[in-house]
Amino acid sequence: MNVPFVWLNHRLVPTSDARCSFFAHGLHYGTGVFEGIRAYATEEGPAIFRLDDHLARMARGAEVLGMDLDLASLRLGCLKVLAASGLQDAYLRPLATFHLGGLALDTSLCDVQVMVAALPWQNHLGEGTEGISMRTSPLRRNAARAIPALKLCGGYVNAILAKREAMARGFAEALFVDEQGFVVEATGENLFLVKHGRVVAVDHPDALPGITRATLAQLAGAEVRPVTLEELCDADELFVTGTSAEVTPVTRLDGGSWAPGPVTQDLRAAYLDLVHGRSPAYESWLTRVEAPIAV
Ligand code: PMP
């Protein structure tokens, strides 16, 4: 991966100088919080989509961990690292982890390492228009009462195990369903269904409150409510949302299959217009990287 600069502890440094100790607490225990944020090319240069909403969610994760996070500095880090990358379309990965201070579980002595990288990116599920296959996972999602539904590093082991299991069986994604048969989310996306033209955003307390999900729910005037697996399988269209996945149709779920439907296609187009700065009504969701930014 060719990423010449990263932003580390409040300044830009060459990536080769950004080091992490073997004794980093976050490396051993996943005691960190991260975000996944996209910047898109617009007619007026790159713009970061819902930057402050992503940073606010990261701040909630830091608070849960009892970690001090300087959000204003992190925000500037996002802008600077994007400007330094020269990328128009990029994925921004801010990460804050407990670093040195011992390997005991008490983190009160640990310092915090804060980083941001800007990477070239494509939808991790493929081009996004074709649709993906998904399998109901035999694993349960981390309960929010065990690990809050935020972007806490260690919580992702649960998603990674489910993804491995699904991929080993030839599916692209895993779907978490709870003990009562309610849909939770996928490993890195939230779920939507369309029935008789009505859009429903799946709501579940153990699911990450996705920023793309909130965006789509607003765009579609969706109902936001719990959904069972049975209702999901009975839908006319299914799609997932996420910063990386954007709006991606689900065309296979366990034994069932769906065509990428017209409502999904329209919403996908509307979302791409919005993030690329072609929807003036949503301009306030875009943070423009005004050139030149001193790096
Ligand atoms: N659920 C999980 C577990 C995720 O990791 C993500 C990606 N951040 C999402 C849902 C979608 O969230 P967002 O739309 O904020 O990217």
Side-chain angles (χ1 to χ4, degrees):
M1 203 179 289
N2 181 23
V3 180
F5 291 97
V6 295
W7 188 85
L8 174 67
N9 300 330
H10 313 292
R11 58 192 186 93
L12 273 180
V13 297
T15 305
S16 54
D17 291 352
R19 300 280 164 77
C20 173
S21 165
F22 176 86
F23 297 103
H25 201 274
L27 188 62
H28 294 258
Y29 303 121
T31 45
V33 57
F34 68 98
E35 264 305 323
I37 310 175
R38 288 281 279 267
Y40 290 90
T42 73
E43 272 183 10
E44 291 99 67
I48 305 177
F49 184 60
R50 300 195 73 166
L51 172 62
D52 291 308
D53 295 309
H54 281 281
L55 294 179
R57 185 169 66 189
M58 187 161 166
R60 294 207 300 281
E63 198 184 334
V64 163
L65 289 168
M67 179 185 271
D68 283 333
L69 195 61
D70 179 346
L71 268 202
S73 167
L74 184 59
R75 189 179 196 281
L76 194 62
C78 291
L79 294 168
K80 285 193 170 183
V81 88
L82 179 61
S85 74
L87 294 168
Q88 295 277 319
D89 292 295
Y91 180 83
L92 296 178
R93 167 52 61 91
L95 169 68
T97 58
F98 282 124
H99 193 225
L100 300 179
L103 290 182
L105 297 188
D106 173 11
T107 55
S108 58
L109 294 177
C110 293
D111 63 359
V112 177
Q113 203 165 42
V114 189
M115 300 154 251
V116 193
L119 316 169
W121 199 257
Q122 269 141 21
N123 183 335
H124 68 287
L125 298 173
E127 218 285 86
T129 47
E130 299 296 314
I132 54 153
S133 62
M134 195 177 260
R135 162 181 155 83
T136 301
S137 184
L139 297 172
R140 293 285 173 245
R141 185 72 177 126
N142 297 326
R145 286 175 61 189
I147 300 185
L150 291 164
K151 291 186 80 77
L152 303 177
C153 299
Y156 274 80
V157 175
N158 175 229
I160 289 162
L161 295 180
K163 180 103 176 174
R164 273 177 58 80
E165 195 278 339
M167 289 184 77
R169 282 161 182 76
F171 292 80
E173 248 300 16
L175 176 69
F176 286 112
V177 174
D178 75 9
E179 216 59 57
Q180 280 71 44
F182 285 96
V183 176
V184 185
E185 62 178 336
T187 66
E189 306 87 33
N190 296 113
L191 261 292
F192 280 74
L193 68 83
V194 183
K195 184 76 181 178
H196 303 315
R198 293 273 310 152
V199 180
V200 180
V202 172
D203 197 31
H204 195 287
D206 299 338
L208 185 79
I211 290 164
T212 322
R213 169 182 178 270
T215 305
L216 264 293
Q218 187 167 333
L219 274 183
E223 237 182 286
V224 180
R225 60 168 172 81
V227 167
T228 61
L229 179 60
E230 200 184 345
E231 183 182 359
L232 197 74
C233 290
D234 188 44
D236 299 330
E237 300 178 30
L238 299 178
F239 63 91
V240 291
T241 62
T243 296
S244 176
E246 299 169 324
V247 177
T248 298
V250 177
T251 46
R252 243 177 90 207
L253 171 59
D254 300 328
S257 58
W258 288 259
V263 177
T264 306
Q265 309 282 41
D266 285 355
L267 286 172
R268 180 180 158 75
Y271 181 75
L272 293 178
D273 278 346
L274 200 162
V275 296
H276 284 102
R278 298 188 291 259
S279 304
Y282 294 99
E283 187 63 30
S284 64
W285 278 341
L286 305 185
T287 300
R288 301 203 174 267
V289 181
E290 277 155 35
I293 253 201
V295 294

